[in-house]
């Protein structure tokens, strides 16, 4: 039987599966509502419901993926219309879902890695009295992220975008008894609103220019828009992406998000929130392809951020903050990739997927260490844990090797092509960005080897109140599965260009490029820098005892790195304090100027009416006397006029 004769049947099956895609968003929302409204009656089984939902969604996502994959490449994009959402005048926004290779890739990542994080949370949050509510927030987070990647227009994306922000605020501030958690949640919420303002203005500009906010309407009109409008759209979308993905200049919130429970850190940093910015730029690739200036801005942001995160990560002693700045750096690699234009978008998405495996595994491994170390996070108080926590050690170690790009683990297959593509950029900028990416690869190996040595090797520097032990199976099994992904996901996705070909209908084909450096040379350089970083960390931390307290004398660069390269101080001096002064001035102006004028007018009328009221005595003789006085004045005035 020919393929043509089979195609109608495939399309019919595809339609039947896709018609239920709304369940991807509805089921986690329903689960969150049940857990939040059900109260304590759901405490005994709430965590099971919260975990079952993403597992079911992952199974459905796999079936949907297989079904769409069976279709011809040109038919793999389907729009599922749900209802007319905002019909106001010329603005007509339909709520619908876009089922295509890019959205399905994110669906599998969000539900797959998210399911493992949910399972891990059963053990990690076992003794937390609010566990049921915690799983409700996790489900809400997953629902918002799925709407973000599945929406068929920018308004639906924005709705999910804001939902992710709300859910992250609830989860980061989970430990309500800690002022630091409340501060971190507010910081994340406010800094994300800055980026969200850029995305909102971009959507306004889209409607004003194209009369539409749907992907089809906006991308179809790019060729008719002026270069200035397209560049403005690209820069505004980049601002929104920087906020969600923790990129310079809106990166300061992301490391502070570590104040939430460790599963939250894994969910935010690996599978959901921080990947939203990369998704936005990849989805809006027609806009960036039409604006070289906007593309260059994305590349600059990515290169600066990946170096920034790597430098700071090398100086932190908090195990979760090292991983947090590692995320900042790795997302920078993804921004660098999607900013390099056609043919490299897919490479950025590949690194996003592999990063989802090894970074989630690393965060869950850090949570396992904290579980065994009585919630301590200071690596100076660790050491020698590989013998008492063997499963954590081996799973964490595989994630570590994948992150630093040691072949043949997944990070090697996804990060090495980004460095290669950066060198291939035309002109001297290719050498600049390629050199930055290569140097940061060495720094990544350095700070991650430092983390491994201080945590799992050397002498035991434990405090007296800790008794390290291996975590329960509900925590170790997800770590093992993620470690398997850290080992094999890169080779599976890259060899044969499986994911690249899958994404071609959305991101375009890879153009032929003349390499500045042979691929083998870039590969050898990347491995050499990584090995150099490992050796440097071993020479500094592996051959001598790690002090349990921070040394008094450290280099100026180390001081700057431990102070986040003064980024927080810069934000405080340039934005926060002037903002406070402006706020105080506006309050004073409101009280003394606006309110003062209003209150002054009211007081004038009130005082005048009080005085005039005294003239109304109610006595007839007083009114008669007033009338007589008035008459005398009128007669006198007339006589004066007559004889003058």
């Amino acid at each position: 039987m020919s393929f043509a004769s089979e195609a109608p049947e495939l399309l019919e099956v595809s339609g039947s599966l896709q018609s239920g895609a709304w369940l991807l968003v509805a089921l986690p929302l329903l689960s969150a509502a049940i857990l939040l409204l059900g109260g304590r009656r759901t405490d005994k089984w709430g965590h099971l419901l919260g975990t079952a939902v993403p597992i079911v969604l992952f199974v459905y996502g796999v079936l949907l993926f297989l079904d769409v994959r069976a279709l011809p490449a040109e038919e793999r994009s389907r729009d599922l219309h749900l209802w007319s959402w905002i019909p106001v005048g010329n603005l007509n926004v339909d709520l619908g879902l876009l089922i295509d290779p890019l959205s399905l890739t994110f669906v599998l990542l969000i539900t797959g890695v998210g399911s493992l994080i949910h399972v891990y949370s059963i053990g990690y949050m076992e003794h937390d009295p609010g566990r049921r509510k915690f799983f409700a927030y996790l489900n809400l987070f997953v629902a918002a992220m799925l709407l973000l990647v599945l929406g068929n227009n920018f308004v639906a994306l924005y709705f999910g975008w804001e939902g992710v922000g709300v859910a992250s605020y609830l989860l980061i501030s989970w430990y309500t008894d800690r002022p630091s958690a409340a501060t971190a949640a507010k910081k994340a919420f406010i800094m994300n609103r800055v980026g969200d303002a850029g995305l909102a203005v971009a959507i306004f500009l889209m409607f004003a220019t194209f009369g539409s906010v749907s992907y089809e309407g906006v991308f179809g009109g790019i060729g008719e828009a002026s270069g200035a409008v397209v560049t403005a759209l690209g820069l505004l979308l980049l601002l929104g992406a920087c906020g969600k993905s923790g990129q310079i200049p809106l990166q300061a919130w992301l490391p502070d998000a570590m104040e939430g429970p460790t599963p939250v850190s894994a969910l935010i940093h690996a599978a959901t929130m921080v990947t939203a910015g990369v998704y936005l730029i990849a989805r809006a690739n027609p806009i960036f392809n039409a604006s070289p200036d906007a593309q260059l801005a994305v590349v600059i942001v990515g290169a600066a951020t990946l170096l920034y995160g790597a430098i700071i990560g090398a100086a932190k002693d908090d195990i979760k903050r090292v991983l947090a700045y590692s995320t900042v750096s790795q997302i920078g690699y993804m921004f660098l990739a999607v900013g390099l234009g056609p043919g490299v978008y897919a490479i950025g998405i590949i690194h996003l997927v592999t990063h989802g495996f090894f970074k989630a595994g690393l965060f869950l491994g850090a949570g396992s260490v904290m579980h065994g170390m009585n919630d301590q996070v200071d690596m100076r108080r660790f050491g020698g844990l590989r013998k008492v926590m063997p499963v954590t050690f081996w799973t964490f170690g595989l994630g570590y090797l994948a992150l630093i790009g040691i072949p043949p683990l997944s990070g090697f297959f996804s990060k090495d092509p980004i460095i290669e593509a950066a060198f291939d950029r035309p002109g001297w900028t290719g050498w600049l960005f390629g050199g930055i990416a290569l140097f940061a690869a060495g720094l990544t190996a350095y700070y991650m080897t430092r983390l491994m040595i201080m945590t799992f090797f050397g002498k035991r520097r434990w405090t007296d109140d800790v008794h390290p032990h291996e975590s329960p199976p509900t925590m170790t099994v997800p770590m093992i599965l993620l470690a398997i992904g850290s080992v094999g996901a890169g080779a599976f996705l890259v060899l044969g260009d499986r994911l690249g070909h899958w994404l071609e209908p959305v991101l375009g084909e890879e153009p032929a490029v003349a390499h500045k450096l042979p691929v083998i040379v870039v590969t050898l350089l990347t491995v050499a820098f990584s090995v150099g970083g490992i050796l440097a960390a071993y020479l500094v931390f592996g051959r001598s005892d790690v002090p349990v307290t921070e040394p008094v004398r450290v280099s100026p660069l180390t001081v700057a790195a431990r102070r986040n390269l003064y980024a927080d101080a810069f934000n405080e001096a340039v934005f926060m304090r002037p903002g406070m002064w402006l706020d105080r001035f506006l309050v004073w102006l409101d009280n003394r100027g606006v309110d003062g004028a209003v209150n002054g007018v009211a007081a004038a009328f009130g005082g005048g009416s009080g005085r005039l009221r005294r003239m109304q005595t109610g006595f007839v003789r007083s009114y008669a006397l007033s009338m007589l006085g008035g008459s005398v004045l009128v007669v006198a005035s007339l006589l004066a006029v007559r004889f003058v």
Side-chain angles (χ1 to χ4, degrees):
M1 183 181 292
S2 67
F3 178 81
S5 62
E6 294 179 346
E9 181 179 355
L10 291 173
L11 292 175
E12 182 180 353
V13 174
S14 176
S16 64
L17 274 177
Q18 292 178 30
S19 63
W22 58 273
L23 293 172
L24 288 168
V25 179
L27 284 182
L29 281 177
L30 177 62
S31 174
I34 292 173
L35 296 180
L36 290 174
L37 300 177
R40 296 181 179 179
R41 292 170 292 183
T42 64
D43 283 347
K44 292 183 179 181
W45 47 267
H47 57 287
L48 300 178
L49 174 63
T51 303
V53 167
I55 294 176
V56 170
L57 296 182
F58 176 68
V59 173
Y60 177 78
V62 171
L63 295 175
L64 189 58
F65 164 77
L66 294 175
D67 187 71
V68 173
R69 187 175 180 273
L71 297 172
E74 64 275 8
E75 297 179 4
R76 290 176 178 171
S77 180
R78 298 298 181 86
D79 196 328
L80 176 63
H81 176 77
L82 297 179
W83 64 76
S84 181
W85 188 16
I86 309 176
V88 180
N90 295 329
L91 177 62
N92 188 6
V93 180
D94 294 332
L95 183 59
L97 303 181
L98 178 61
I99 311 298
D100 68 359
L102 182 61
S103 62
L104 284 177
T105 300
F106 276 82
V107 166
L108 293 178
L109 175 67
I110 295 164
T111 58
V113 176
S115 295
L116 296 177
I117 294 172
H118 278 71
V119 173
Y120 177 94
S121 300
I122 294 176
Y124 191 88
M125 303 295 291
E126 181 178 5
H127 302 293
D128 194 300
R131 181 168 65 166
R132 176 256 312 165
K133 186 168 65 173
F134 179 80
F135 277 87
Y137 292 163
L138 288 184
N139 281 185
L140 182 62
F141 206 127
V142 170
M145 190 65 192
L146 287 172
L147 176 60
L148 189 156
V149 300
L150 285 169
N152 65 351
N153 60 76
F154 282 97
V155 174
L157 178 145
Y158 189 80
F159 197 77
W161 194 273
E162 294 301 318
V164 169
V166 172
S168 67
Y169 174 83
L170 296 172
L171 289 168
I172 295 171
S173 62
W174 178 256
Y175 297 119
T176 55
D177 58 331
R178 302 178 185 177
S180 58
T183 300
K186 288 189 292 184
K187 187 174 184 179
F189 194 82
I190 293 171
M191 294 197 76
N192 270 271
R193 298 295 75 72
V194 176
D196 295 355
L199 178 56
V201 174
I203 296 173
F204 299 153
L205 182 58
M206 290 173 189
F207 178 70
T209 305
F210 309 110
S212 173
V213 293
S214 68
Y215 295 147
E216 182 180 3
V218 172
F219 300 154
I222 289 297
E224 301 176 0
S226 66
V229 169
V230 176
T231 299
L233 282 175
L235 295 178
L236 289 169
L237 293 177
L238 174 59
L239 178 60
C242 286
K244 258 320 171 269
S245 294
Q247 299 292 283
I248 290 176
L250 300 176
Q251 80 291 346
W253 71 267
L254 198 151
D256 288 359
M258 297 300 98
E259 293 294 336
T262 300
V264 175
S265 304
L267 192 63
I268 290 177
H269 287 240
T272 55
M273 186 168 178
V274 298
T275 64
V278 182
Y279 169 81
L280 176 62
I281 295 176
R283 174 61 73 187
N285 66 86
I287 295 176
F288 289 93
N289 290 340
S291 175
D293 292 336
Q295 281 187 333
L296 178 60
V298 176
V299 172
I300 292 173
V301 167
T305 307
L306 69 89
L307 185 60
Y308 170 88
I311 292 173
I312 297 177
K316 295 295 183 180
D317 295 327
D318 184 323
I319 185 172
K320 289 179 66 177
R321 288 188 179 270
V322 173
L323 296 178
Y325 279 104
S326 172
T327 299
V328 172
S329 181
Q330 296 304 308
I331 299 294
Y333 274 103
M334 299 172 205
F335 267 64
L336 176 63
V338 295
L340 290 172
V344 195
Y345 289 111
I347 297 175
I349 300 301
I350 291 170
H351 191 53
L352 185 150
V353 174
T354 60
H355 178 265
F357 283 103
F358 57 70
K359 185 53 63 68
L362 288 170
F363 269 112
L364 298 189
S368 181
V369 170
M370 294 170 58
H371 180 79
M373 295 293 291
N374 198 19
D375 286 336
Q376 290 188 15
V377 294
D378 188 353
M379 296 186 298
R380 294 184 180 276
R381 286 294 183 178
F382 293 166
L385 292 179
R386 73 183 188 279
K387 295 182 179 179
V388 294
M389 305 182 71
V391 177
T392 300
F393 167 68
W394 285 108
T395 55
F396 195 99
L398 290 173
Y400 148 73
L401 293 174
L403 172 59
I404 66 177
I406 297 298
L409 279 74
S410 61
F412 166 77
F413 286 100
S414 60
K415 187 163 63 176
D416 189 81
I418 296 177
I419 299 174
E420 177 186 321
F423 275 114
D424 290 339
R425 182 178 172 84
W428 62 270
T429 59
W431 298 104
L432 173 63
F433 295 129
I436 291 174
L438 188 63
F439 178 68
L443 276 178
T444 302
Y446 173 82
Y447 69 70
M448 286 304 299
T449 304
R450 173 179 178 265
L451 183 153
M452 287 293 295
I453 293 173
M454 294 178 68
T455 302
F456 296 102
F457 294 91
K459 294 182 179 180
R460 299 177 176 182
R461 304 178 300 277
W462 312 339
T463 56
D464 296 334
D465 60 332
V466 300
H467 305 283
H469 56 278
E470 190 57 88
S471 299
T474 52
M475 297 173 64
T476 56
V477 170
M479 292 159 55
I480 293 171
L481 295 176
L482 289 169
I484 294 173
S486 300
V487 173
F492 176 78
L493 296 174
V494 174
L495 295 181
D497 199 19
R498 289 183 177 90
L499 187 56
H501 286 313
W502 165 250
L503 294 172
E504 277 182 3
V506 181
L507 303 180
E509 298 181 2
E510 181 177 356
V513 178
H515 298 300
K516 287 184 179 178
L517 295 174
V519 175
I520 186 63
V521 172
V522 177
T523 299
L524 292 175
L525 283 173
T526 304
V527 174
F529 269 77
S530 297
V531 172
I534 294 172
L535 292 176
Y538 172 75
L539 293 175
V540 176
F541 301 98
R543 299 195 304 169
S544 59
D545 294 337
V546 175
V548 296
T549 57
E550 180 182 342
V552 177
R553 295 183 179 180
V554 292
S555 67
L557 179 58
T558 302
V559 173
R562 290 184 176 176
R563 295 181 181 179
N564 304 331
L565 296 182
Y566 304 105
D568 289 340
F570 176 83
N571 288 338
E572 181 177 343
V574 176
F575 298 108
M576 191 194 80
R577 293 197 179 280
M580 291 175 58
W581 296 334
L582 177 61
D583 180 69
R584 291 172 182 173
F585 170 74
L586 292 176
V587 170
W588 175 87
L589 182 63
D590 181 65
N591 290 336
R592 298 297 180 90
V594 178
D595 286 352
V598 173
N599 294 336
V601 171
F605 278 96
S609 63
R611 290 176 174 79
L612 289 175
R613 186 170 59 245
R614 296 175 183 176
M615 300 178 64
Q616 303 297 321
T617 62
F619 296 113
V620 176
R621 59 180 179 272
S622 299
Y623 299 152
L625 181 61
S626 300
M627 294 172 64
L628 177 61
S631 301
V632 170
L633 288 175
V634 170
V635 172
S637 300
L638 293 174
L639 291 175
V641 172
R642 176 71 177 83
F643 292 104
V644 170

